């Protein structure tokens, strides 16, 4: 992937912090960026987690596990069980070794949100950035910025699946390309509606593979409840690239795939013409249902 020249787009640390401050509604970024290297990688310092933090992790883990059987996809649950992450905040290195053996991905520790360019470079090189800090007890049910529970519990298990792992790498390459084509806004929507909030159709019914749902206390049940005001429609890539999303409520639209192979193949096409076309028009509101779209959760 290294043939994409990104040198002309390096974001200064200050510019990055300004962007993230906007995204977090002016609040300061959490996390210690002072010891990060040029790729925003830090040491996990596993020994420094407190017993209270391990307790909180266990409570989060147990709450999710009371919800996920029968709702999360088998790929997620099978990998999670093998990861032995129930007993406390995991040591990234240990899981990283198992992950590398399975799909060639590794985990890197980061202080929190990182610049888009850096994020894409990690993904394109099969490295998944995981935030080191854990939320506070009062954030048990809801947290604004991703923490170690969301990043590790929500994202890492899916990287044990070879097809999904390849998709994530291609997404990183696609991100570097989108930066040059001015398509970031569009491409970010695809990440949101697949990697974070994706559902998959199985013979047993709809199942969750999106990390934003898998690590959430409320949305696990909500997204699979028929009759809410949200829709569940089959993923169409161009439609998804053109759909706005909500960051502070449950999703109003869930995009459903039939297989990870479908996701991989559907995104293998060149997005450049899509970006060109979509930039001309208006994005669709998050609660759009087009005439030819069918509700899949009944
Ligand atoms: N095929 C996309 C492009 O040409 C890149 C991509 C792949 C994006 C996979 C997302 C997921 O830009
Ligand atoms: Fe995430």
């Amino acid at each position: 992937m290294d043939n994409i020249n990104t040198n002309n787009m390096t974001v200064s640390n200050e510019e990055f912090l300004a962007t993230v401050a906007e995204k977090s509604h002016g609040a300061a970024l959490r996390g210690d960026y002072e010891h990060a290297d040029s790729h925003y990688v830090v040491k996990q310092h596993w020994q420094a987690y407190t017993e209270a933090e391990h307790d909180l992790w266990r409570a989060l883990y147990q709450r999710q596990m009371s919800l996920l059987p029968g709702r999360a996809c088998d790929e997620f649950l099978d990998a999670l069980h093998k990861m032995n992450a129930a007993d406390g905040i995991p040591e990234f290195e240990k899981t990283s070794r198992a992950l590398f053996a399975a799909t060639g991905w590794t985990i890197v520790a980061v202080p929190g949100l990182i610049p888009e360019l850096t994020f894409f470079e990690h993904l394109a090189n099969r490295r998944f950035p995981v935030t080191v800090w854990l939320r506070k007890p009062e954030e048990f049910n809801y947290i604004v910025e991703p923490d170690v529970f969301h990043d590790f519990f929500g994202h890492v298990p899916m990287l044990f699946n070879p097809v999904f792992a390849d998709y994530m790498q291609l997404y990183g390459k696609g991100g570097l390309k989108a930066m040059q084509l001015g398509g970031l806004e569009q491409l970010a929507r695809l990440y949101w509606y697949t990697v974070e909030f994706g559902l998959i159709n199985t013979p047993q019914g709809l199942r969750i593979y999106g990390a934003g749902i898998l690590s959430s206390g409320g949305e696990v049940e909500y997204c699979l409840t028929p009759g809410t005001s949200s829709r569940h429609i089959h993923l169409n890539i161009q439609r998804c690239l053109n759909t706005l999303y909500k960051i502070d409520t449950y999703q109003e639209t869930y995009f459903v795939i039939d297989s990870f192979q479908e996701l991989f193949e559907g995104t293998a096409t060149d997005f450049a013409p899509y970006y060109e076309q979509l930039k001309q028009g208006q994005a669709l509101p998050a609660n759009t249902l087009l005439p030819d779209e069918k509700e899949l959760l009944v």
Side-chain angles (χ1 to χ4, degrees):
M1 65 87 18
D2 293 311
N3 52 7
I4 299 169
N5 181 357
T6 52
N7 290 339
N8 56 337
M9 322 187 277
T10 309
V11 195
S12 78
N13 205 28
E14 264 163 46
E15 279 173 84
F16 160 63
L17 292 172
T19 318
V20 177
E22 270 165 39
K23 282 190 181 160
S24 54
H25 306 287
L29 255 197
R30 273 162 88 161
D32 173 15
Y33 288 82
E34 217 147 86
H35 299 102
D37 73 11
S38 60
H39 296 101
Y40 284 80
V41 172
V42 295
K43 285 216 165 66
Q44 186 190 11
H45 290 304
W46 185 80
Q47 302 291 347
Y49 293 118
T50 65
E51 225 9 75
E53 287 177 315
H54 287 300
D55 281 344
L56 179 58
W57 172 281
R58 281 189 285 273
L60 285 162
Y61 191 103
Q62 279 162 21
R63 193 259 306 266
Q64 288 320 99
M65 287 319 290
S66 73
L67 298 166
L68 290 179
R71 296 195 177 97
C73 67
D74 289 343
E75 288 83 351
F76 175 85
L77 290 172
D78 293 347
L80 182 68
H81 285 126
K82 288 192 209 131
M83 283 164 51
N84 292 317
D87 296 337
I89 303 172
E91 283 181 77
F92 297 171
E93 289 245 352
K94 287 188 184 166
T95 311
S96 191
R97 256 176 270 141
L99 180 59
F100 187 77
T103 58
W105 275 73
T106 56
I107 296 169
V108 291
V110 292
L113 290 170
I114 58 175
E116 272 144 350
L117 172 64
T118 311
F119 180 67
F120 293 142
E121 283 174 341
H122 281 308
L123 296 188
N125 289 288
R126 296 176 91 86
R127 296 187 298 262
F128 193 78
V130 175
T131 300
V132 290
W133 56 265
L134 182 67
R135 67 193 67 190
K136 301 270 168 267
E138 57 271 25
E139 296 167 312
F140 194 80
N141 287 312
Y142 183 75
I143 180 158
V144 184
E145 286 168 53
D147 71 338
V148 59
F149 186 73
H150 166 77
D151 284 345
F152 190 98
F153 181 95
H155 285 286
V156 174
M158 290 307 301
L159 293 170
F160 280 82
N161 179 265
V163 180
F164 190 82
D166 286 349
Y167 170 70
M168 288 290 279
Q169 177 180 25
L170 271 198
Y171 185 92
K173 294 186 188 185
L176 297 172
K177 182 172 151 187
M179 288 184 92
Q180 292 176 324
L181 297 174
L184 258 197
E185 230 178 300
Q186 282 76 23
L187 191 67
R189 295 175 190 145
L190 180 66
Y191 192 90
W192 189 265
Y193 280 121
T194 61
V195 180
E196 296 291 356
F197 292 95
L199 300 180
I200 183 166
N201 204 6
T202 78
Q204 289 76 41
L206 298 190
R207 294 289 184 271
I208 306 160
Y209 74 90
I213 309 176
L214 293 164
S215 64
S216 151
E219 198 153 357
V220 168
E221 282 181 287
Y222 175 83
C223 74
L224 296 177
T225 305
T228 69
S229 59
S230 299
R231 64 233 90 245
H232 310 71
I233 56 177
H234 197 270
L235 175 69
N236 171 302
I237 302 296
Q238 277 172 271
R239 151 70 146 109
C240 180
L241 290 169
N242 198 33
T243 308
L244 301 169
Y245 56 83
K246 296 279 173 76
I247 62 163
D248 49 6
T249 63
Y250 294 152
Q251 296 310 302
E252 296 178 333
T253 297
Y254 298 97
F255 286 98
V256 180
I257 57 173
D258 284 333
S259 67
F260 295 114
Q261 197 61 37
E262 177 200 345
L263 180 59
F264 182 84
E265 285 169 14
T267 51
T269 48
D270 180 11
F271 285 8
Y274 298 171
Y275 298 145
E276 271 319 299
Q277 198 199 335
L278 295 176
K279 272 187 263 176
Q280 319 284 323
Q282 283 255 315
L284 299 170
N287 63 357
T288 303
L289 186 67
L290 299 173
D292 59 334
E293 288 173 341
K294 184 169 145 261
E295 169 60 43
L296 296 177
L297 184 61
V298 281

